[in-house]
Amino acid sequence: MKSPTQLTLATFRTLGWSVEIVEHWNAHAKIRQDFGGMFDLIAWRPCEGERSASLPEPSGGGIVGIQVTDLTHVANRCHKIACNGYAVSWLSAWGRIQVWGWGLSGRGQIKAIKPRIMVGVEESGRVEWEERRYVGE
């Protein structure tokens, strides 16, 4: 089975996004460090139409910071990002935040590997989470 990172990279690329891994291994501290303490991946795609301060988000494109995990750690990753001082600033700068948790989904013997996608939105100066349906369903 592919890793959650590889599954997310493949999904974004299939949807026409450019995407890169932005976490790295810190050999001195012997830990993986996320970009800004929040993201494993950053994806971007040109916006369709014009950007305006009056629009809630760019249409069909923009930049997305993505935290990738398995299904059992989605809530932990959402909490980690919500507590990060950069999260609201990222959203205020037209960036988007998503947490993708991968795992088996389905009933009986028919199961498939699918993501649970949580989207961070700025609400009164803090990050709140909304679940989004996977576009491949």
Side-chain angles (χ1 to χ4, degrees), residues 20-41:
E20 291 293 332
I21 297 172
V22 294
E23 73 166 353
H24 69 277
W25 175 252
N26 181 329
H28 298 290
K30 296 181 174 42
I31 59 170
R32 291 206 168 275
Q33 290 184 312
D34 296 338
F35 178 84
M38 299 183 288
F39 306 135
D40 299 322
L41 308 172

